[in-house]
C-alpha cells in the first residue's frame, strides 16, 4: 500500500503549500459545540478539496487547543490517525461526548420536557 504524502509541499518543489490549522478553545460545554461544528466544517472542507481535486491532502495540518479544546483536539487527531478518515474521527469525537460525558441515568432527571420543547411538539 502506498503511503500518503502529508508533507504539505506543493508540486513546485520546496515551497510549502497552503495549509489549514484548527485551533479549539477551552470553556467546558463549548467542547460539545466544537464537536458538532467539526462535523459541518470537515464536510465543507472535504467538498472544497474534492472540487479542487485535492482529496488526498489533509484537511488540517495543525490541530491545537486549550483546556477542553485540547482534549477535543487529542481525541480528534488520534481517531484520524487510527481511521485515516476525518469524518470517522468526528463521529468518534461526538460519540465521546454523547457516551462518556452526557447526562444520563440520574434518578429524577428527565429530558422529555426539554426534548419536546426543542422539537416543537
Amino acid at each position: 500500500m502506498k503511503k500518503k504524502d502529508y508533507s504539505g509541499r506543493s508540486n513546485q518543489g520546496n515551497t510549502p503549500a497552503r495549509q489549514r490549522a484548527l485551533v479549539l478553545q477551552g470553556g467546558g460545554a463549548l467542547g460539545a459545540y466544537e464537536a458538532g461544528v467539526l462535523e459541518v466544517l470537515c464536510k465543507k472542507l472535504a467538498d472544497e478539496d474534492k472540487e479542487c481535486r485535492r482529496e488526498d491532502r489533509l484537511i488540517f495540518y495543525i490541530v491545537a487547543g486549550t483546556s477542553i479544546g485540547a482534549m477535543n483536539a487529542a481525541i480528534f487527531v488520534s481517531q484520524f490517525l487510527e481511521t485515516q478518515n476525518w469524518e470517522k474521527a468526528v463521529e468518534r469525537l461526538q460519540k465521546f461526548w454523547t457516551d462518556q460525558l452526557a447526562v444520563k441515568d440520574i434518578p429524577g432527571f428527565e429530558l422529555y420536557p426539554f426534548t419536546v420543547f426543542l422539537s416543537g411538539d
Side-chain angles (χ1 to χ4, degrees), residues 6-19:
Y6 295 133
S7 66
R9 299 291 177 186
S10 68
N11 292 335
Q12 283 85 28
N14 292 330
T15 307
R18 185 176 215 164
Q19 299 176 353

Side-chain angles (χ1 to χ4, degrees), residues 20 42-57 59:
R20 297 182 190 119
C42 285
K43 181 171 177 14
K44 180 181 181 336
L45 294 175
D47 289 347
E48 283 180 10
D49 286 349
K50 190 173 185 178
E51 285 178 22
C52 298
R53 299 176 191 228
R54 290 189 235 146
E55 297 102 330
D56 61 336
R57 78 181 253 190
I59 290 180

Side-chain angles (χ1 to χ4, degrees), residues 1-2 8 37 47-48 53 71 79 83 86 88 94 119:
M1 184 170 134
K2 185 179 176 186
V37 169
D47 289 347
E48 283 180 10
R53 299 176 191 228
M71 190 169 164
Q79 294 306 308
T83 64
W86 291 107
K88 286 181 183 173
Q94 290 175 337
S119 68

Side-chain angles (χ1 to χ4, degrees), residues 16-35:
R18 185 176 215 164
Q19 299 176 353
R20 297 182 190 119
L22 175 67
V23 181
L24 302 170
Q25 74 181 56
L30 183 62
Y33 171 79
E34 291 171 345

Side-chain angles (χ1 to χ4, degrees), residues 22-43 60 63-76 86 89-97 101:
L22 175 67
V23 181
L24 302 170
Q25 74 181 56
L30 183 62
Y33 171 79
E34 291 171 345
V37 169
L38 277 173
E39 179 180 12
V40 175
L41 182 60
C42 285
K43 181 171 177 14
F60 302 108
V63 180
T66 184
S67 190
I68 198 67
M71 190 169 164
N72 277 348
I75 294 167
F76 183 53
W86 291 107
V90 169
E91 286 174 16
R92 290 185 177 182
L93 176 60
Q94 290 175 337
K95 186 171 174 27
F96 168 78
W97 276 97
L101 299 177

Side-chain angles (χ1 to χ4, degrees), residues 76-108:
F76 183 53
V77 170
S78 69
Q79 294 306 308
F80 170 76
L81 293 173
E82 184 177 310
T83 64
Q84 294 296 300
N85 183 293
W86 291 107
E87 288 80 16
K88 286 181 183 173
V90 169
E91 286 174 16
R92 290 185 177 182
L93 176 60
Q94 290 175 337
K95 186 171 174 27
F96 168 78
W97 276 97
T98 57
D99 291 357
Q100 303 300 318
L101 299 177
V103 175
K104 56 186 172 185
D105 300 328
I106 298 176

